[in-house]
Each structure stands twice: as structure tokens, then as C-alpha cells.
């Protein structure tokens, strides 16, 4: 276990402060193979939630900061005019999960937004780096978005991704965040895939942004991230109606797992997006029908699925090099409290392909409602 003196040294705080953090419930002690690490479950002072301290016997500890929360624009024209200074870089917002890639004494490690070293993601990214000839050095934190339909967390297919892919969204070298041009140069030099850029606009060129958003709507993509060209102010994000309504539809599959903390913010996004778009009556009615179906259709399908099958969960498939990798992943998921079941295991082209079922809390609550007929909420 990490000592208070080591934590104090890594974080540049007093040993007394470090002792208080270690004794709190805000941190969790974990391990990955022969590496131990501590993850911050909540923001503590200037240390963001999801930050990690990686340490190993007789080796210097490494602090990896959590990824800063990006604020969301609800009224696009107002937000960009008040927030940005002049020029804005428009990048694609991908629908995946955020991971930080670091090198620790020669080993590539990947850390999820929550602060966990995921063995599956680590192995897959190592394989891709070897295939691409991509390079990440000591002292660099490369923030990437993992996308595709072969991962344990989010499954959205992309035309340019076969199963599992990643794209660089930000880079931290030492204590310096690279601006967009520096990041693109970094990716070129290191042979790393970079998130797509849609151009540079002035902050008063809202019409150009709407052209990009409408194109993304048509292509069924998630949205955009807006960045100051020189990193002078923090980024903003904005999502398409396709994403907002699609997320609601997906969230309502397991409505007691996602809940109002997931669903309501997405309804709020769509409310203000519709108001700003100034839709005509027929377009508004179409959007209202889409939203209503998203709220009810998949939820009703889940209730019927439970009544028919006796269980409710999320099914997905993953590829492993061998059975040991698969067992390591299953052990990791169970330690995180995930109710995961192996449904099928087969060999194909020298790989292990495993089908999983991730059980959901919604299942038990639906079962109780059906048995008792009583609402658990009011």
C-alpha cells in the first residue's frame, strides 16, 4: 500500500494531508499484475476524480491526472459568443469511452475515466500500437476515445472502425496541454490516429457550425467538441439530436440503471436544441414522436424481454489472444461489481471469441414490480 510520505511527494502536499486522503473513502487501492495503483473516486481539492497514482516496489510513482470535465453548450450561439475569444477549432465528438494511455517503466497501461486500469483495453491498445508503429513515451499522457462494437463499455459501429479502434483527443506532456496544432503534429510524428477536425471558424460564424452539425445529423454521428485555437479557454461540447435521442433510447433499455441522472440531461439538451433550431410545426412534431418513442419503445421491449426470458442484460462479444486474457478481464469486471456472465466461448483464427451477458439492476426491479404491482418510486 502506498505510504503517506510517497503520496505527499507525488502530489506535492503535506504528509498530514496525504494521511487524511489515504484514510478517507475517496480513494481505492487496486492492482494490475505486479503494479499497484490508487484511484481517486471523487475530486479532492485540485485533484480531479479519476486521477491515479501508479506505484511499484523500488520504482518511482507516477501521477496521472483525471480528464477535465468538458462543459456542454445548450444554446450554441450564446455559449460560443460568451465563452470563446476569437478562433475555434471544431473536432468530432466520438461516441465511445475515454481512456488515458501512459508508459510506466516500459509498460503501456490504459486508465478509464473512472480511474481503473482495464486489462482488455490495455491489451487491445498495445496490439494496435504495435500494428501502427505508434509510440508513447515516458512523461506523456495520451487521452483517447475508444470506439467500436468490441469493447466492454460502449458499442457504436463506425464505418472506419473494425471492432476496436482509438483516436487521440488530447495530449498532456509533463504539465503542458498541447494545443490542436501541436497535438496533430504529435500524432503524425508518433503514427497515432487523431480525432477528425472539421475546420477552424470565428466565434461569430455560428452558421458554419450549424452546417457541420446538420451534416453530422445526416451521417448519424455524435457531435462536436469546440476548442480555442491556443488553449486559452476550456473546450465546449455539443451533441446532435441523433445522439441525444439515441442515448435516451439506449438508456431506457435499463431504466433503473441509468435513471433520471442520465435521461433528463439528454432531454434538456434536446429541449434547447429544438428551441434554437426554430423548427416548423411538422419538423417539431416529428422530433416529438422520435423522443416519445425513445422514452417508451425500448423500455417496453425490456419489460417484455424479461417476462419472456426471465433475465435482462446487455450482450456483447470480445476477442482475446488466449483464455488467460479472458479470465483476467472477467476477474477485473467482477472486482468492479459488474454482474457478468460468460454465455459462449469459441476459437476462431487463433483467437478466443467470448460472448458475455452483463446483468442489470433493472432486471430485479422489474421482477419485483411484476410480482407485487407496486411502484418502487412513489
Amino acid at each position: 500500500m502506498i505510504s503517506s510520505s510517497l503520496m505527499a511527494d507525488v502530489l506535492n502536499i503535506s504528509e498530514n494531508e496525504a494521511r487524511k486522503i489515504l484514510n478517507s473513502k475517496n480513494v481505492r487501492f487496486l492492482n494490475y499484475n505486479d503494479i499497484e495503483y490508487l484511484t481517486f473516486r471523487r475530486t479532492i481539492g485540485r485533484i480531479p476524480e479519476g486521477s491515479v497514482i501508479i506505484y511499484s516496489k523500488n520504482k518511482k510513482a507516477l501521477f496521472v491526472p483525471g480528464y477535465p470535465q468538458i462543459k456542454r453548450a445548450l444554446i450554441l450561439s450564446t455559449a460560443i459568443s460568451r465563452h470563446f475569444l476569437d478562433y475555434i477549432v471544431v473536432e468530432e465528438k466520438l461516441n465511445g469511452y475515454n481512456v488515458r494511455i501512459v508508459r510506466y517503466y516500459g509498460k503501456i497501461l490504459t486508465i478509464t475515466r473512472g480511474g481503473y486500469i482495464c486489462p482488455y483495453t490495455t491489451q487491445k491498445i498495445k496490439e494496435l500500437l504495435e500494428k501502427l508503429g505508434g509510440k508513447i513515451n515516458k512523461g506523456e499522457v495520451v487521452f483517447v476515445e475508444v470506439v467500436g462494437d468490441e469493447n466492454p463499455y460502449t458499442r457504436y459501429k463506425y464505418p472506419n472502425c473494425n471492432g476496436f479502434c482509438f483516436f487521440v483527443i488530447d495530449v498532456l506532456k509533463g504539465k503542458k496541454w498541447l494545443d490542436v496544432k501541436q497535438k496533430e503534429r504529435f500524432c503524425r510524428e508518433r503514427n497515432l490516429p487523431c480525432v477528425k477536425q472539421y475546420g477552424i471558424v470565428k466565434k461569430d460564424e455560428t452558421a458554419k457550425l450549424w452546417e457541420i452539425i446538420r451534416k453530422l445529423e445526416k451521417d448519424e454521428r455524435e457531435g462536436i467538441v469546440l476548442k480555442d485555437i491556443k488553449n486559452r479557454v476550456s473546450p465546449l461540447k455539443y451533441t446532435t439530436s441523433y445522439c441525444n435521442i439515441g442515448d435516451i433510447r439506449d438508456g431506457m433499455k435499463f431504466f433503473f440503471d441509468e435513471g433520471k441522472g442520465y435521461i433528463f440531461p439528454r432531454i434538456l439538451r434536446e429541449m434547447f436544441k429544438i428551441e434554437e433550431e426554430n423548427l416548423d410545426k411538422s419538423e417539431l412534431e416529428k422530433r416529438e414522436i422520435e423522443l416519445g418513442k425513445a422514452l417508451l419503445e425500448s423500455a417496453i421491449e425490456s419489460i417484455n424481454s424479461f417476462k419472456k426470458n426471465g433475465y435482462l442484460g446487455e450482450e456483447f462479444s470480445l476477442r482475446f489472444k488466449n483464455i488467460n486474457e479472458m479470465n483476467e478481464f472477467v476477474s477485473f469486471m467482477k472486482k468492479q461489481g459488474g454482474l457478468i456472465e460468460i454465455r459462449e466461448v469459441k476459437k476462431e483464427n487463433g483467437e478466443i471469441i467470448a460472448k458475455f451477458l452483463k446483468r442489470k439492476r433493472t432486471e430485479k426491479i422489474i421482477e419485483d414490480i411484476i410480482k407485487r404491482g407496486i411502484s418502487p418510486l412513489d
Side-chain angles (χ1 to χ4, degrees):
M1 185 178 288
I2 188 170
S3 66
S4 55
S5 59
L6 177 58
M7 175 181 272
D9 182 56
V10 171
L11 299 178
N12 194 26
I13 60 176
S14 71
E15 196 165 337
N16 187 47
E17 286 178 288
R19 200 174 294 113
K20 286 180 181 178
I21 292 171
L22 290 172
N23 291 331
S24 74
K25 294 181 180 180
N26 296 326
V27 294
R28 187 175 180 188
F29 302 92
L30 300 150
N31 67 283
Y32 172 74
N33 297 334
D34 60 337
I35 293 169
E36 295 181 277
Y37 65 103
L38 176 147
T39 182
F40 287 78
R41 301 169 70 182
R42 295 178 183 83
T43 297
I44 302 176
R46 58 182 177 80
I47 306 164
E49 178 183 350
S51 296
V52 166
I53 298 175
I54 302 170
Y55 54 101
S56 193
K57 192 175 181 181
N58 300 323
K59 292 177 181 176
K60 189 175 179 181
L62 172 66
F63 174 67
V64 184
Y67 192 54
Q69 189 70 32
I70 298 178
K71 290 183 178 179
R72 183 179 300 277
L74 281 182
I75 304 173
L76 190 62
S77 55
T78 303
I80 63 171
S81 66
R82 294 177 67 91
H83 185 79
F84 289 104
L85 304 175
D86 40 47
Y87 289 96
I88 305 166
V89 181
V90 186
E91 292 185 343
E92 181 170 10
K93 186 180 189 305
L94 295 168
N95 209 339
Y97 64 102
N98 184 245
V99 167
R100 289 156 283 167
I101 310 174
V102 297
R103 182 177 291 276
Y104 184 66
Y105 286 89
K107 292 183 179 179
I108 290 292
L109 302 172
T110 68
I111 305 163
T112 65
R113 181 178 280 276
Y116 300 101
I117 298 175
C118 174
Y120 182 81
T121 309
T122 295
Q123 184 57 42
K124 285 295 176 183
I125 283 183
K126 280 166 63 177
E127 290 172 14
L128 281 174
L129 287 174
E130 289 169 9
K131 184 178 178 180
L132 295 167
K135 190 177 180 183
I136 294 169
N137 293 333
K138 177 184 175 183
E140 298 168 346
V141 184
V142 181
F143 294 78
V144 307
E145 192 79 2
V146 174
V147 299
D149 58 352
E150 288 185 5
N151 69 74
Y153 309 110
T154 60
R155 281 161 292 281
Y156 296 93
K157 289 187 178 182
Y158 279 87
N160 56 341
C161 175
N162 182 22
F164 183 101
C165 307
F166 74 87
F167 296 90
V168 176
I169 51 177
D170 274 306
V171 178
L172 183 63
K173 290 189 76 171
K175 294 183 178 181
K176 182 190 176 186
W177 291 92
L178 301 189
D179 64 31
V180 173
K181 289 183 180 178
Q182 291 169 333
K183 179 189 70 179
E184 289 178 339
R185 190 183 313 120
F186 176 91
C187 289
R188 284 196 304 271
E189 291 172 352
R190 303 302 184 81
N191 221 25
L192 298 171
C194 191
V195 69
K196 185 175 181 178
Q197 185 191 121
Y198 285 98
I200 299 171
V201 301
K202 292 180 181 178
K203 73 172 191 173
D204 59 354
E205 294 179 321
T206 313
K208 288 187 178 180
L209 288 178
W210 278 108
E211 284 177 21
I212 295 167
I213 291 161
R214 281 190 282 270
K215 174 70 166 57
L216 289 169
E217 295 273 19
K218 187 178 177 182
D219 294 342
E220 299 185 343
R221 307 291 276 222
E222 185 180 9
I224 55 177
V225 177
L226 307 170
K227 295 180 176 179
D228 178 78
I229 196 165
K230 295 180 181 177
N231 275 1
R232 293 164 294 181
V233 296
S234 58
L236 293 178
K237 57 188 176 184
Y238 191 80
T239 44
T240 61
S241 293
Y242 171 80
C243 177
N244 296 337
I245 292 173
D247 280 356
I248 291 166
R249 183 181 296 109
D250 289 340
M252 288 302 291
K253 289 177 185 175
F254 311 110
F255 41 91
F256 279 105
D257 290 85
E258 306 298 353
K260 64 182 181 181
Y262 180 87
I263 303 299
F264 183 69
R266 286 158 175 80
I267 295 173
L268 187 69
R269 294 172 202 172
E270 198 57 22
M271 285 162 47
F272 281 94
K273 184 172 183 293
I274 287 169
E275 194 279 332
E276 190 171 10
E277 287 177 297
N278 195 26
L279 302 178
D280 63 31
K281 187 177 179 181
S282 64
E283 290 173 322
L284 177 59
E285 286 178 352
K286 183 181 176 183
R287 195 76 60 84
E288 288 168 343
I289 290 168
E290 288 175 353
L291 180 56
K293 288 179 72 173
L295 285 165
L296 287 175
E297 202 167 49
S298 58
I300 292 166
E301 285 173 3
S302 291
I303 295 167
N304 290 332
S305 177
F306 172 77
K307 289 169 75 174
K308 179 182 177 182
N309 301 313
Y311 67 87
L312 187 64
E314 187 178 17
E315 295 181 330
F316 60 95
S317 297
L318 301 178
R319 295 174 184 268
F320 302 91
K321 277 188 173 180
N322 53 58
I323 204 74
N324 290 335
E325 280 187 11
M326 186 192 80
N327 290 337
E328 183 182 35
F329 165 73
V330 172
S331 176
F332 167 78
M333 291 297 286
K334 286 182 176 178
K335 284 178 182 176
Q336 311 316 311
L339 298 173
I340 189 168
E341 297 175 6
I342 303 170
R343 284 300 172 105
E344 183 184 352
V345 178
K346 63 180 182 180
K347 287 188 177 181
E348 187 178 288
N349 299 324
E351 291 182 307
I352 300 289
I353 300 177
K355 290 185 178 180
F356 296 95
L357 174 70
K358 190 188 291 184
R359 302 291 279 268
K360 296 290 185 173
R361 188 173 68 96
T362 298
E363 174 190 304
K364 295 295 181 185
I365 301 174
I366 290 175
E367 182 179 29
D368 185 66
I369 292 170
I370 290 171
K371 281 180 180 178
R372 298 173 62 239
I374 304 295
S375 170
L377 298 178
D378 54 17

